[in-house]
Amino acid sequence: MKLEVVGDAAEPLMTCSLMTRTLIICFLLLFALPGNHVGVAFQPEFAEPILNLTVPLGRDATFTCVVRHLGGYRVGWVKADTKAIQAIHDHVITHNPRVAVSHNDYSTWNLHIRGVQEEDRGSYMCQINTDPMQSQMGHLDVVVPPDIVNEDTSGDVMVPEGGTVKLTCRARGYPTPHVQWRREDNSEIVIREPSGVKTKVSNFQGEFLKLSKVTRSEMGAYLCIASNGIPPSVSKRIMVNVHFHPVIQVPNQLVGAPLGTDVTLECQVEASPRSINYWVRDTEIPGPTRKPTPGRYVPPHYDEEDYPDQLGSAEQEAEEEMTNNVADRVPTKGGPHPTLLPPGRKNNHVVFSERGEMEISESSARMEVASLLGTVAALLLLLKV
């Protein structure tokens, strides 16, 4: 049986058939033609790469992820090394209160990290939840300026002349700081090798500085300086004190003055630690002057009852640290080293050099001459009478 449609009833059927064919052709054309057609236009893509960041400790860092055609998809942030989710779309997932997110027109997505710490260092991934997932990464480098580790760094030191001292300077920071040494007064640092080779340098590189067979000229302040390219550099001042026996210089070993006038005796002392200096005449120790002047002695007026305390103090100090004594001594038979005279014994004024040699001054001779002249004058007066 054959069905025929005649007349006006055939027109709607033909129109419907034509419309169906047109829709099918349009659908095929849209997904077949390259370019911005409907099937591709709603697929998200990254518009630009994420920039790597280098941020000093304590500053803020912001990663930016630019996405085109996001549509109904979502953007997430993940810390790559720990796989910890930081945020999804506009919701923060991590419990870190310093992390926040923001976006602009659903195309620019930002991950904010306030006051970055060293644990924030690493790679961060921006993801789009497509199938398969799309992602790109940026790296955060947290740099830390150098800092001296005081508990692992040397403090002020004391060393005897001719001894050895090892100075240590520890520093932390990121990148790892390098350490150098120099003297505060810009003098050269003397490096002595075990082989005997001696080198003088203006600065020395390394955490450890070894000073061998030190001399008094090497005494002073040494600076340990740490730097890693992140300002500011830091330094620590370390004092090296070299102990050595007193050295005495007497500019004028014989001083003359008219009878009844004042006279000042002077000696120059070099010692470390600072020496206790006092003057002795005929085994009497007057002690420090009332207004002391370093290296000078002006005969003062003093009370005899002050003598025992000052003598005891001088002897006690002499036992505790090196002292410089200008005293009455006599040479021993066995060598040039002098010894103290026993109490009550008289002797001429003696001045000692560093080697223990002695010279007898003319002070007592002058007093004897003055006494003799006085006796002669008295006899002349008696004869006149």
Side-chain angles (χ1 to χ4, degrees), residues 220-304:
Y222 288 72
L223 298 178
C224 151
I225 305 170
S227 58
N228 62 353
I230 310 301
S233 297
V234 292
S235 65
K236 182 176 180 179
R237 184 177 184 266
I238 301 173
M239 276 297 301
V240 175
N241 299 293
V242 181
H243 286 188
F244 56 90
H245 293 287
V247 177
I248 302 174
Q249 293 182 348
V250 181
N252 299 307
Q253 296 187 6
L254 178 62
V255 179
L259 189 65
T261 61
D262 296 337
V263 64
T264 299
L265 307 179
E266 180 180 358
C267 72
Q268 299 171 354
V269 182
E270 181 184 10
S272 177
R274 187 172 181 177
S275 61
I276 298 175
N277 306 322
Y278 55 86
W279 297 81
V280 176
R281 178 179 181 272
D282 294 336
T283 71
E284 295 178 359
I285 304 178
T289 61
R290 294 296 180 263
K291 294 183 179 180
T293 302
R296 295 175 181 270
Y297 167 61
V298 178
H301 296 289
Y302 65 93
D303 298 328
E304 291 186 1

Coordinates of all heavy atoms in Angstrom, one line a residue, residues 220-304:
G220 N 94.6 43.1 69.5 CA 93.6 44.0 69.0 C 92.3 43.4 68.7 O 92.0 42.2 69.0
A221 N 91.4 44.2 68.0 CA 90.1 43.7 67.6 C 90.1 43.1 66.2 O 90.7 43.7 65.3 CB 89.1 44.9 67.7
Y222 N 89.5 41.9 66.1 CA 89.3 41.2 64.9 C 87.8 41.2 64.5 O 87.0 40.9 65.4 CB 89.9 39.8 64.9 CG 91.4 39.7 65.0 CD1 92.1 40.1 66.1 CD2 92.1 39.3 63.9 CE1 93.5 40.0 66.2 CE2 93.5 39.2 63.9 CZ 94.2 39.6 65.1 OH 95.5 39.6 65.1
L223 N 87.5 41.4 63.3 CA 86.1 41.5 62.8 C 85.8 40.2 62.0 O 86.5 39.9 61.0 CB 85.8 42.7 62.0 CG 86.0 44.1 62.7 CD1 85.7 45.2 61.7 CD2 85.1 44.2 63.9
C224 N 84.7 39.5 62.4 CA 84.2 38.4 61.7 C 83.0 38.9 60.9 O 82.0 39.4 61.5 CB 83.8 37.3 62.6 SG 82.4 36.2 62.1
I225 N 83.0 38.9 59.5 CA 82.0 39.4 58.7 C 81.4 38.3 57.9 O 82.0 37.6 57.2 CB 82.6 40.5 57.7 CG1 83.4 41.6 58.5 CG2 81.6 41.1 56.9 CD1 84.2 42.5 57.7
A226 N 80.0 38.3 57.9 CA 79.2 37.3 57.2 C 78.4 38.0 56.2 O 77.7 38.9 56.5 CB 78.4 36.4 58.2
S227 N 78.4 37.4 54.9 CA 77.5 38.0 53.9 C 77.1 36.9 52.9 O 77.8 35.9 52.7 CB 78.3 39.1 53.1 OG 79.5 38.6 52.6
N228 N 75.9 37.1 52.3 CA 75.5 36.1 51.3 C 74.7 36.8 50.1 O 74.0 36.1 49.4 CB 74.5 35.1 51.9 CG 73.3 35.7 52.5 OD1 73.1 36.9 52.6 ND2 72.3 34.9 53.0
G229 N 75.0 38.1 49.9 CA 74.4 38.8 48.8 C 73.0 39.4 49.2 O 72.4 40.1 48.4
I230 N 72.5 39.0 50.4 CA 71.2 39.6 50.8 C 71.5 40.6 51.9 O 72.0 40.2 53.0 CB 70.3 38.4 51.4 CG1 70.2 37.3 50.4 CG2 68.9 39.0 51.7 CD1 69.7 37.6 49.0
P231 N 71.3 41.8 51.7 CA 71.6 42.8 52.7 C 70.7 42.7 53.9 O 69.5 42.3 53.8 CB 71.4 44.2 52.0 CG 70.4 43.8 50.9 CD 70.7 42.4 50.5
P232 N 71.2 43.1 55.1 CA 72.6 43.6 55.3 C 73.5 42.6 55.7 O 73.2 41.5 56.3 CB 72.4 44.6 56.5 CG 71.3 44.0 57.3 CD 70.4 43.3 56.3
S233 N 74.8 42.8 55.5 CA 75.9 41.9 56.0 C 76.0 42.2 57.5 O 75.7 43.3 58.0 CB 77.2 42.2 55.3 OG 77.1 41.9 53.9
V234 N 76.5 41.2 58.2 CA 76.6 41.4 59.7 C 78.1 41.1 60.1 O 78.8 40.4 59.4 CB 75.7 40.5 60.5 CG1 74.2 40.9 60.3 CG2 75.8 39.0 60.1
S235 N 78.5 41.6 61.3 CA 79.8 41.3 61.8 C 79.8 41.2 63.3 O 78.9 41.7 63.9 CB 80.8 42.4 61.3 OG 80.4 43.7 61.9
K236 N 80.9 40.6 63.8 CA 81.1 40.5 65.2 C 82.5 40.9 65.5 O 83.4 40.5 64.9 CB 80.8 39.1 65.8 CG 80.9 39.0 67.3 CD 80.5 37.7 67.8 CE 80.7 37.7 69.4 NZ 80.3 36.4 70.0
R237 N 82.7 41.7 66.6 CA 84.0 42.2 67.0 C 84.5 41.3 68.1 O 83.9 41.1 69.2 CB 83.9 43.6 67.5 CG 85.2 44.3 67.9 CD 84.9 45.7 68.3 NE 86.0 46.5 68.5 CZ 86.6 46.7 69.7 NH1 86.0 46.1 70.8 NH2 87.6 47.4 69.9
I238 N 85.7 40.7 67.9 CA 86.3 39.8 68.9 C 87.7 40.4 69.3 O 88.5 40.7 68.4 CB 86.5 38.4 68.3 CG1 85.1 37.8 67.9 CG2 87.2 37.5 69.3 CD1 85.2 36.5 67.1
M239 N 87.9 40.6 70.6 CA 89.1 41.1 71.1 C 90.1 40.0 71.4 O 89.8 39.0 72.0 CB 88.9 42.0 72.3 CG 88.5 43.4 72.1 SD 89.7 44.4 71.2 CE 91.1 44.3 72.3
V240 N 91.3 40.1 70.8 CA 92.4 39.2 71.1 C 93.4 39.9 72.0 O 94.1 40.9 71.6 CB 93.1 38.7 69.8 CG1 94.3 37.8 70.2 CG2 92.1 37.9 69.0
N241 N 93.5 39.5 73.3 CA 94.4 40.1 74.3 C 95.6 39.2 74.4 O 95.5 38.0 74.7 CB 93.7 40.3 75.6 CG 92.5 41.2 75.5 OD1 92.6 42.4 75.3 ND2 91.3 40.6 75.7
V242 N 96.8 39.8 74.2 CA 98.0 39.0 74.3 C 98.7 39.4 75.6 O 99.0 40.6 75.8 CB 98.9 39.3 73.0 CG1 100.2 38.5 73.2 CG2 98.2 39.0 71.7
H243 N 99.0 38.5 76.4 CA 99.6 38.7 77.7 C 101.2 38.6 77.5 O 101.6 37.6 76.9 CB 99.2 37.8 78.8 CG 97.8 38.1 79.3 ND1 97.2 37.4 80.3 CD2 96.9 39.0 78.8 CE1 96.0 37.9 80.5 NE2 95.8 38.8 79.6
F244 N 101.9 39.6 78.0 CA 103.3 39.5 78.0 C 103.9 40.2 79.2 O 103.2 41.1 79.8 CB 103.9 40.2 76.7 CG 103.5 41.6 76.5 CD1 104.2 42.7 76.9 CD2 102.3 41.9 75.8 CE1 103.8 44.0 76.7 CE2 101.9 43.2 75.5 CZ 102.7 44.2 76.0
H245 N 105.1 39.9 79.6 CA 105.8 40.4 80.7 C 106.0 41.9 80.6 O 106.2 42.4 79.5 CB 107.1 39.7 81.0 CG 106.9 38.3 81.4 ND1 106.4 37.9 82.7 CD2 107.1 37.1 80.7 CE1 106.4 36.6 82.7 NE2 106.7 36.1 81.6
P246 N 106.0 42.7 81.7 CA 106.3 44.1 81.6 C 107.6 44.5 81.0 O 108.6 43.8 81.2 CB 106.2 44.6 83.0 CG 105.4 43.5 83.8 CD 105.8 42.2 83.1
V247 N 107.6 45.5 80.2 CA 108.8 46.1 79.7 C 108.9 47.5 80.1 O 108.0 48.3 80.0 CB 108.8 46.0 78.1 CG1 110.1 46.7 77.6 CG2 108.7 44.6 77.6
I248 N 110.0 47.9 80.8 CA 110.2 49.2 81.4 C 111.3 50.0 80.6 O 112.3 49.5 80.3 CB 110.6 49.1 82.9 CG1 109.6 48.3 83.7 CG2 110.8 50.5 83.5 CD1 110.0 48.1 85.1
Q249 N 110.9 51.2 80.3 CA 111.9 52.2 79.8 C 112.0 53.4 80.6 O 110.9 54.0 81.0 CB 111.5 52.6 78.3 CG 111.6 51.4 77.3 CD 111.2 51.9 75.9 OE1 110.7 53.0 75.7 NE2 111.5 51.0 75.0
V250 N 113.2 53.8 81.0 CA 113.4 55.0 81.8 C 114.1 56.1 81.0 O 115.3 55.9 80.6 CB 114.3 54.7 83.1 CG1 114.4 55.9 83.9 CG2 113.6 53.5 83.9
P251 N 113.3 57.1 80.6 CA 113.9 58.1 79.7 C 115.2 58.8 80.3 O 116.2 59.0 79.7 CB 112.8 59.1 79.5 CG 111.5 58.3 79.8 CD 111.9 57.4 80.8
N252 N 115.1 59.1 81.6 CA 116.2 59.8 82.3 C 116.5 59.0 83.6 O 115.7 59.1 84.6 CB 115.8 61.2 82.7 CG 115.5 62.1 81.4 OD1 116.3 62.1 80.5 ND2 114.3 62.7 81.4
Q253 N 117.6 58.3 83.6 CA 117.9 57.5 84.7 C 118.6 58.4 85.8 O 118.7 57.9 87.0 CB 118.9 56.4 84.3 CG 118.2 55.4 83.4 CD 119.0 54.2 83.1 OE1 120.1 54.0 83.7 NE2 118.6 53.3 82.2
L254 N 119.0 59.5 85.5 CA 119.6 60.4 86.5 C 118.9 61.8 86.4 O 119.0 62.4 85.3 CB 121.1 60.6 86.3 CG 121.9 61.5 87.2 CD1 121.8 61.1 88.6 CD2 123.3 61.7 86.8
V255 N 118.3 62.2 87.5 CA 117.6 63.5 87.5 C 118.2 64.4 88.5 O 118.3 64.0 89.7 CB 116.1 63.3 87.8 CG1 115.3 64.6 87.8 CG2 115.5 62.3 86.7
G256 N 118.6 65.6 88.2 CA 119.1 66.5 89.1 C 118.2 67.7 89.4 O 117.5 68.1 88.5
A257 N 118.2 68.2 90.6 CA 117.4 69.3 91.0 C 118.0 70.1 92.1 O 118.7 69.5 93.0 CB 116.0 68.9 91.3
P258 N 117.8 71.4 92.2 CA 118.4 72.1 93.3 C 117.7 71.7 94.6 O 116.6 71.2 94.6 CB 118.0 73.6 93.0 CG 117.8 73.6 91.5 CD 117.2 72.3 91.2
L259 N 118.5 71.8 95.7 CA 118.0 71.4 97.0 C 116.7 72.2 97.4 O 116.7 73.4 97.2 CB 119.0 71.7 98.1 CG 118.8 71.1 99.5 CD1 118.7 69.6 99.5 CD2 119.8 71.6 100.5
G260 N 115.7 71.5 97.9 CA 114.5 72.2 98.3 C 113.4 72.3 97.2 O 112.3 72.9 97.4
T261 N 113.7 71.9 96.0 CA 112.8 72.0 94.8 C 112.2 70.7 94.6 O 112.6 69.6 95.1 CB 113.5 72.5 93.6 OG1 114.5 71.6 93.2 CG2 114.1 73.9 93.8
D262 N 111.1 70.7 93.8 CA 110.4 69.4 93.4 C 111.1 68.7 92.3 O 111.7 69.4 91.4 CB 108.9 69.7 93.0 CG 108.1 70.3 94.2 OD1 108.5 70.1 95.3 OD2 107.1 71.0 93.9
V263 N 110.9 67.4 92.2 CA 111.5 66.6 91.2 C 110.5 65.5 90.8 O 109.8 65.0 91.6 CB 112.9 66.0 91.6 CG1 112.7 65.0 92.7 CG2 113.5 65.3 90.4
T264 N 110.5 65.2 89.5 CA 109.5 64.2 89.0 C 110.4 63.1 88.3 O 111.2 63.4 87.5 CB 108.6 64.8 88.0 OG1 107.8 65.8 88.6 CG2 107.6 63.7 87.4
L265 N 110.1 61.9 88.8 CA 110.8 60.7 88.2 C 109.7 60.0 87.2 O 108.6 59.9 87.6 CB 111.2 59.7 89.2 CG 112.1 60.3 90.4 CD1 112.4 59.2 91.4 CD2 113.3 60.9 89.8
E266 N 110.2 59.6 86.1 CA 109.3 59.0 85.1 C 109.9 57.7 84.6 O 111.1 57.6 84.3 CB 109.1 60.0 83.9 CG 108.2 59.5 82.8 CD 108.1 60.4 81.7 OE1 108.7 61.5 81.8 OE2 107.4 60.1 80.7
C267 N 109.0 56.7 84.4 CA 109.3 55.4 83.8 C 108.1 55.1 82.9 O 107.0 55.3 83.2 CB 109.6 54.3 84.8 SG 108.2 53.7 85.6
Q268 N 108.4 54.5 81.7 CA 107.4 54.1 80.8 C 107.3 52.5 80.8 O 108.3 51.8 80.6 CB 107.8 54.5 79.4 CG 107.9 56.1 79.3 CD 108.5 56.5 77.9 OE1 108.9 55.7 77.1 NE2 108.5 57.8 77.7
V269 N 106.1 52.1 81.0 CA 105.8 50.6 81.2 C 104.9 50.1 80.1 O 103.9 50.7 79.8 CB 105.2 50.4 82.5 CG1 105.0 48.9 82.7 CG2 106.1 50.9 83.7
E270 N 105.3 49.0 79.5 CA 104.5 48.3 78.5 C 104.2 46.9 79.0 O 105.1 46.2 79.3 CB 105.1 48.2 77.1 CG 104.3 47.5 76.1 CD 105.0 47.4 74.7 OE1 106.2 47.6 74.7 OE2 104.3 47.0 73.8
A271 N 102.9 46.6 79.2 CA 102.6 45.3 79.8 C 101.1 45.0 79.5 O 100.3 45.9 79.3 CB 102.8 45.3 81.3
S272 N 100.8 43.7 79.5 CA 99.5 43.2 79.3 C 99.3 41.9 80.1 O 100.1 41.0 79.9 CB 99.1 43.0 77.8 OG 97.8 42.4 77.7
P273 N 98.4 41.8 81.0 CA 97.4 42.9 81.4 C 98.1 44.1 82.0 O 99.3 44.0 82.3 CB 96.4 42.2 82.3 CG 97.3 41.1 82.9 CD 98.2 40.7 81.9
R274 N 97.3 45.1 82.2 CA 97.9 46.4 82.8 C 98.6 46.1 84.1 O 98.0 45.4 85.0 CB 96.8 47.4 83.0 CG 97.3 48.8 83.4 CD 96.1 49.8 83.4 NE 96.6 51.1 83.7 CZ 95.8 52.2 83.8 NH1 94.5 52.0 83.4 NH2 96.3 53.3 84.1
S275 N 99.8 46.6 84.2 CA 100.6 46.3 85.4 C 100.3 47.2 86.6 O 99.6 48.3 86.4 CB 102.1 46.5 85.0 OG 102.3 47.8 84.6
I276 N 100.6 46.8 87.7 CA 100.5 47.6 89.0 C 101.9 48.2 89.2 O 102.9 47.5 89.4 CB 100.2 46.7 90.2 CG1 98.8 46.1 89.9 CG2 100.2 47.6 91.4 CD1 98.4 45.1 91.0
N277 N 102.0 49.5 89.1 CA 103.3 50.2 89.2 C 103.4 50.9 90.5 O 102.4 51.6 90.9 CB 103.4 51.2 88.0 CG 103.2 50.6 86.7 OD1 103.6 49.5 86.4 ND2 102.5 51.3 85.8
Y278 N 104.5 50.8 91.2 CA 104.7 51.5 92.4 C 106.2 51.8 92.6 O 107.0 51.1 91.9 CB 104.1 50.8 93.7 CG 104.6 49.4 93.9 CD1 105.8 49.1 94.6 CD2 103.8 48.3 93.4 CE1 106.2 47.8 94.8 CE2 104.2 47.0 93.7 CZ 105.4 46.8 94.4 OH 105.8 45.5 94.6
W279 N 106.5 52.8 93.4 CA 107.9 53.2 93.6 C 108.4 52.9 94.9 O 107.7 52.9 95.9 CB 107.9 54.8 93.4 CG 107.5 55.2 92.0 CD1 106.3 55.4 91.5 CD2 108.4 55.6 91.0 NE1 106.3 55.8 90.3 CE2 107.6 55.9 89.9 CE3 109.8 55.6 90.8 CZ2 108.1 56.3 88.6 CZ3 110.3 56.0 89.6 CH2 109.5 56.4 88.5
V280 N 109.7 52.5 95.0 CA 110.3 52.1 96.3 C 111.6 52.9 96.5 O 112.4 53.0 95.5 CB 110.6 50.6 96.3 CG1 111.3 50.2 97.5 CG2 109.3 49.8 96.2
R281 N 111.8 53.4 97.7 CA 113.1 54.0 98.1 C 113.5 53.5 99.4 O 112.7 53.6 100.4 CB 113.0 55.5 98.1 CG 114.2 56.2 98.5 CD 114.1 57.7 98.5 NE 115.3 58.4 98.9 CZ 115.7 58.6 100.2 NH1 114.8 58.3 101.1 NH2 116.8 59.2 100.4
D282 N 114.6 52.9 99.5 CA 115.1 52.3 100.8 C 114.1 51.4 101.4 O 113.8 51.5 102.6 CB 115.5 53.5 101.7 CG 116.7 54.3 101.2 OD1 117.5 53.7 100.4 OD2 116.8 55.4 101.6
T283 N 113.4 50.6 100.6 CA 112.5 49.5 101.1 C 111.2 50.1 101.6 O 110.3 49.4 102.2 CB 113.0 48.6 102.1 OG1 113.2 49.2 103.3 CG2 114.4 48.0 101.6
E284 N 111.0 51.4 101.5 CA 109.7 52.0 102.0 C 108.8 52.2 100.8 O 109.2 52.7 99.7 CB 110.0 53.4 102.6 CG 110.8 53.3 103.9 CD 111.0 54.7 104.5 OE1 110.6 55.7 103.8 OE2 111.7 54.8 105.5
I285 N 107.6 51.7 100.9 CA 106.6 51.8 99.8 C 105.5 52.8 100.1 O 104.6 52.5 100.8 CB 106.0 50.4 99.5 CG1 107.2 49.4 99.3 CG2 105.1 50.4 98.3 CD1 106.6 48.0 99.1
P286 N 105.6 54.0 99.5 CA 104.6 55.0 99.8 C 103.3 54.7 99.1 O 102.3 55.3 99.5 CB 105.2 56.3 99.3 CG 106.1 55.8 98.2 CD 106.7 54.5 98.6
G287 N 103.3 53.8 98.1 CA 102.0 53.5 97.5 C 101.6 54.5 96.4 O 102.4 55.4 96.1
P288 N 100.4 54.4 95.9 CA 100.0 55.3 94.8 C 99.9 56.8 95.3 O 99.6 57.0 96.5 CB 98.7 54.8 94.4 CG 98.6 53.4 95.0 CD 99.4 53.4 96.2
T289 N 100.2 57.7 94.4 CA 100.0 59.1 94.8 C 98.6 59.4 94.9 O 97.7 58.7 94.4 CB 100.7 60.0 93.7 OG1 100.0 59.7 92.4 CG2 102.1 59.7 93.5
R290 N 98.3 60.5 95.6 CA 96.9 60.9 95.8 C 96.2 61.3 94.5 O 95.0 61.1 94.3 CB 96.8 62.1 96.8 CG 97.3 61.7 98.2 CD 96.4 60.7 98.8 NE 96.8 60.3 100.1 CZ 97.6 59.3 100.4 NH1 97.9 58.5 99.4 NH2 97.9 59.0 101.6
K291 N 97.0 61.8 93.5 CA 96.4 62.1 92.2 C 97.4 61.4 91.2 O 98.3 62.0 90.7 CB 96.4 63.6 91.9 CG 95.3 64.3 92.8 CD 95.3 65.8 92.4 CE 94.2 66.5 93.3 NZ 94.2 68.0 92.9
P292 N 97.2 60.1 91.0 CA 98.2 59.4 90.2 C 98.2 59.8 88.8 O 97.2 60.1 88.1 CB 97.7 57.9 90.3 CG 96.2 58.1 90.6 CD 96.1 59.3 91.4
T293 N 99.4 59.8 88.2 CA 99.7 60.0 86.8 C 100.4 58.8 86.3 O 101.4 58.4 86.9 CB 100.6 61.3 86.6 OG1 99.9 62.4 87.2 CG2 100.8 61.5 85.1
P294 N 99.9 58.1 85.3 CA 100.5 56.9 84.8 C 102.0 57.0 84.5 O 102.3 57.9 83.7 CB 99.7 56.5 83.6 CG 98.3 57.2 83.8 CD 98.7 58.5 84.5
G295 N 102.8 56.2 85.1 CA 104.2 56.2 84.8 C 105.0 57.3 85.5 O 106.2 57.4 85.3
R296 N 104.4 58.1 86.3 CA 105.1 59.2 87.0 C 105.0 59.1 88.5 O 103.9 58.6 89.0 CB 104.6 60.6 86.5 CG 104.8 60.9 85.1 CD 104.2 62.2 84.7 NE 104.4 62.4 83.2 CZ 105.4 63.1 82.7 NH1 106.3 63.5 83.6 NH2 105.5 63.3 81.5
Y297 N 106.0 59.5 89.2 CA 105.9 59.5 90.7 C 106.4 60.8 91.2 O 107.5 61.3 90.9 CB 106.9 58.3 91.2 CG 107.1 58.4 92.7 CD1 106.0 58.3 93.6 CD2 108.4 58.6 93.2 CE1 106.2 58.4 94.9 CE2 108.6 58.7 94.6 CZ 107.5 58.6 95.4 OH 107.7 58.7 96.8
V298 N 105.5 61.4 92.0 CA 105.9 62.7 92.7 C 105.8 62.3 94.1 O 104.8 61.9 94.7 CB 104.9 63.8 92.3 CG1 105.2 65.0 93.1 CG2 104.8 64.1 90.9
P299 N 106.9 62.5 94.9 CA 106.9 62.1 96.3 C 105.9 62.8 97.0 O 105.8 64.0 97.1 CB 108.3 62.5 96.8 CG 109.2 62.5 95.5 CD 108.3 62.9 94.4
P300 N 104.9 62.1 97.6 CA 103.8 62.7 98.3 C 104.0 62.7 99.8 O 104.9 62.1 100.4 CB 102.6 61.7 98.0 CG 103.3 60.4 98.0 CD 104.7 60.6 97.5
H301 N 103.0 63.4 100.5 CA 102.9 63.3 101.9 C 102.0 62.1 102.3 O 100.9 62.1 101.7 CB 102.5 64.6 102.6 CG 103.4 65.7 102.3 ND1 104.6 65.8 102.9 CD2 103.3 66.8 101.5 CE1 105.2 66.9 102.5 NE2 104.5 67.5 101.6
Y302 N 102.3 61.2 103.1 CA 101.5 60.1 103.4 C 101.6 59.7 104.9 O 102.6 60.1 105.5 CB 101.8 58.9 102.5 CG 103.2 58.3 102.7 CD1 103.4 57.2 103.6 CD2 104.3 58.9 102.1 CE1 104.7 56.8 103.9 CE2 105.6 58.4 102.3 CZ 105.8 57.3 103.2 OH 107.0 56.8 103.4
D303 N 100.6 59.0 105.3 CA 100.6 58.5 106.7 C 101.3 57.2 106.8 O 101.1 56.3 105.9 CB 99.2 58.4 107.2 CG 98.5 59.8 107.3 OD1 99.3 60.8 107.5 OD2 97.3 59.9 107.0
E304 N 102.1 56.9 107.8 CA 102.8 55.7 107.9 C 101.8 54.5 108.1 O 102.1 53.4 107.7 CB 103.8 55.7 109.1 CG 105.0 56.7 108.8 CD 106.0 56.6 110.0 OE1 105.8 55.8 110.9 OE2 107.0 57.3 109.9

